[in-house]
Amino acid sequence: MSELTFEQMLEDPNSIRTIHSGEVVEGTVIDVKPEEIVLNIGYKSDGILARNEYTNDSSVDLTEVVKPGDTMEVKVLKVNDGEGQVVLTYKRLAADRGNKRIEEAYNSGEVLKATVAQVLEGGLSVVYEEVRVFIPASLVSDTYERDLGKYLGQEIEFVISEYNPKRRRYIGDRRQLIAARKAQMQKELFERIREGDVVEGVVKNVTDFGAFVDLGGADGLLHISEMSWGRVEHPKKVFKVGEKLTVLIKEINGSKVALSLKFEDQNPWRDAADKYAIGNVVNGRVARMTDFGAFVELEPGVDALLHVSQISREHVEKPSDVLSVGQEVTAKIVDFNEADRKISLSIKAMGAAAQIDQDVVPVDIEAVISAQAEE
């Protein structure tokens, strides 16, 4: 529209346009104050646009967002506010247009972006083109979110799941976007990985029985028994959330993935036949004890049984009478079963090598345990 100067209006009174409440007009900014904008709208009176009719953000300084000479479309609220001024609104016009955009997005399923303006008790409030959209806590994520405060000021994506302009009810849904992305990532992951692959992952959760590792599309379970060739007392003493791991995919069963850190090239039993041949003298640490003997850790992943009868030439009632967990011992290998991964030790054999045949006999560990269980 053409704009008229005050002098032109005086020369030609007929050139002064008429305006009506609800009309959309274009104006030129002639003055800006922190809380008010004055516009020439081609009418006998200037238009006044207050800050609260420009934006819902009460912290905005209008002098920082608008300058004299700018043109803008506004909507007339009142032709005369009692003082001869025209009251204008910008945000309501923007909201009308935003409402139309939200309707279109609702019908098409379009993904919208907006910054979280408020964190409310039951969810998040975002403003999209001057329209407030509420995202319930249950629709913020596909998992329970304890602290929604972290979203304040963040730009997030969402779709409109409910549109009711009469009640000014606009509901956003972020959860379905996250679920859809995860489903796509999972599909791509399972198309890519195979049993036996070595992949990167991030520890997502640690429990008493293992750790869940995010593989980028699905979580894999690293069971406590697969964390090391040695014995793991508790997963939480070994791993922490957020830690990066290189893991072996041991098994894929549907959507379930079993992981392992027991890489075959690190298997301590690969050369055990040489290191723990019968007659070799070894050093180890008492790892745990039972009534029938002590289990000695020769290295992580390799334990050997020191039967109570092989602890000393003197009679020993219980292993705990002469040994303690953590104690270092030196003993001789008296039996080695690679197939069952079982090793038997004897301290008694250390003192008289010439009498090993008559004093030391191989111990059937399974038979000893079974006998103890029957008693």
Side-chain angles (χ1 to χ4, degrees):
M1 60 172 285
S2 59
E3 296 169 2
L4 303 175
T5 65
F6 183 68
E7 290 75 10
Q8 289 173 322
M9 292 179 187
L10 291 178
E11 292 174 3
D12 184 10
N14 293 326
S15 66
I16 301 175
R17 62 172 296 180
T18 58
I19 58 174
H20 307 280
S21 295
E23 184 178 349
V24 176
V25 299
E26 186 177 271
T28 301
V29 177
I30 57 178
D31 189 27
V32 185
K33 300 174 183 177
E35 299 181 357
E36 181 182 272
I37 301 172
V38 181
L39 296 100
N40 175 6
I41 57 173
Y43 186 62
K44 63 184 178 181
S45 299
D46 292 329
I48 304 299
L49 177 59
R51 180 169 59 190
N52 65 352
E53 287 298 337
Y54 177 82
T55 178
N56 287 316
D57 188 347
S58 60
S59 66
V60 168
D61 182 344
L62 295 179
T63 62
E64 296 179 356
V65 294
V66 177
K67 63 181 184 298
D70 288 350
T71 59
M72 53 193 306
E73 280 193 330
V74 289
K75 188 174 184 178
V76 177
L77 287 182
K78 290 183 181 179
V79 176
N80 189 334
D81 66 351
E83 298 181 0
Q85 295 177 322
V86 181
V87 179
L88 307 172
T89 182
Y90 173 79
K91 74 175 185 181
R92 299 190 199 188
L93 178 60
D96 289 343
R97 292 171 177 168
N99 184 68
K100 182 64 176 175
R101 280 286 294 116
I102 287 180
E103 181 182 13
E104 293 172 351
Y106 172 70
N107 291 327
S108 67
E110 179 185 353
V111 177
L112 304 178
K113 285 183 180 181
T115 300
V116 176
Q118 286 181 292
V119 177
L120 307 174
E121 184 175 346
L124 305 176
S125 175
V126 302
V127 178
Y128 182 80
E129 295 192 9
E130 295 301 327
V131 177
R132 290 194 175 274
V133 177
F134 179 65
I135 304 177
S138 61
L139 299 180
V140 171
S141 178
D142 63 337
T143 57
Y144 173 68
E145 293 276 8
R146 184 181 300 275
D147 178 23
L148 294 179
K150 65 183 181 181
Y151 290 103
L152 184 63
Q154 283 191 24
E155 185 180 64
I156 62 174
E157 292 184 332
F158 57 94
V159 293
I160 302 299
S161 59
E162 185 176 339
Y163 173 75
N164 190 335
K166 290 184 179 180
R167 296 179 57 192
R168 294 184 179 180
R169 181 180 172 87
Y170 311 102
I171 303 299
D173 184 344
R174 182 172 177 265
R175 182 180 65 186
Q176 65 174 273
L177 297 180
I178 295 174
R181 288 190 187 114
K182 285 187 176 180
Q184 180 60 29
M185 289 175 65
Q186 185 181 76
K187 178 176 179 292
E188 293 173 357
L189 176 71
F190 283 104
E191 289 175 349
R192 186 174 70 248
I193 62 175
R194 298 289 183 273
E195 291 182 4
D197 287 352
V198 176
V199 297
E200 300 292 326
V202 178
V203 177
K204 186 176 180 180
N205 189 27
V206 183
T207 68
D208 292 342
F209 58 85
F212 289 94
V213 181
D214 183 358
L215 302 176
D219 292 344
L221 173 61
L222 178 59
H223 192 268
I224 186 171
S225 63
E226 293 295 329
M227 290 181 171
S228 172
W229 286 107
R231 190 166 180 267
V232 174
E233 185 177 344
H234 196 288
K236 289 185 178 180
K237 292 185 177 181
V238 183
F239 302 104
K240 59 183 179 181
V241 173
E243 181 179 354
K244 293 181 180 180
L245 294 178
T246 299
V247 292
L248 172 70
I249 297 179
K250 184 180 180 183
E251 182 181 4
I252 300 175
N253 185 2
S255 61
K256 295 181 180 180
V257 182
L259 305 175
S260 177
L261 284 175
K262 295 164 73 170
F263 297 99
E264 191 56 36
D265 61 348
Q266 301 169 7
N267 186 347
W269 284 90
R270 293 183 70 187
D271 56 357
D274 294 329
K275 288 192 293 184
Y276 306 119
I278 294 175
N280 286 0
V281 175
V282 294
N283 295 315
R285 179 185 61 85
V286 177
R288 58 194 186 280
M289 286 188 286
T290 67
D291 289 341
F292 59 82
F295 285 92
V296 178
E297 183 183 61
L298 303 181
E299 64 176 290
V302 179
D303 287 354
L305 174 64
L306 175 60
H307 191 265
V308 63
S309 65
Q310 300 302 317
I311 293 175
S312 172
R313 287 183 172 277
E314 304 297 328
H315 175 71
V316 176
E317 186 69 28
K318 294 185 300 182
S320 57
D321 291 340
V322 293
L323 298 174
S324 59
V325 173
Q327 181 179 343
E328 297 289 333
V329 297
T330 300
K332 182 168 286 191
I333 306 290
V334 294
D335 188 38
F336 178 82
N337 185 333
E338 185 172 14
D340 295 333
R341 293 185 175 180
K342 295 175 181 177
I343 300 173
S344 298
L345 302 176
S346 174
I347 295 176
K348 186 166 70 172
M350 295 292 295
Q355 299 181 20
I356 289 179
D357 290 340
Q358 65 181 37
D359 291 335
V360 179
V361 294
V363 178
D364 186 335
I365 298 174
E366 298 296 337
V368 171
I369 295 175
S370 299
Q372 291 289 327
E374 292 173 0
E375 291 180 357

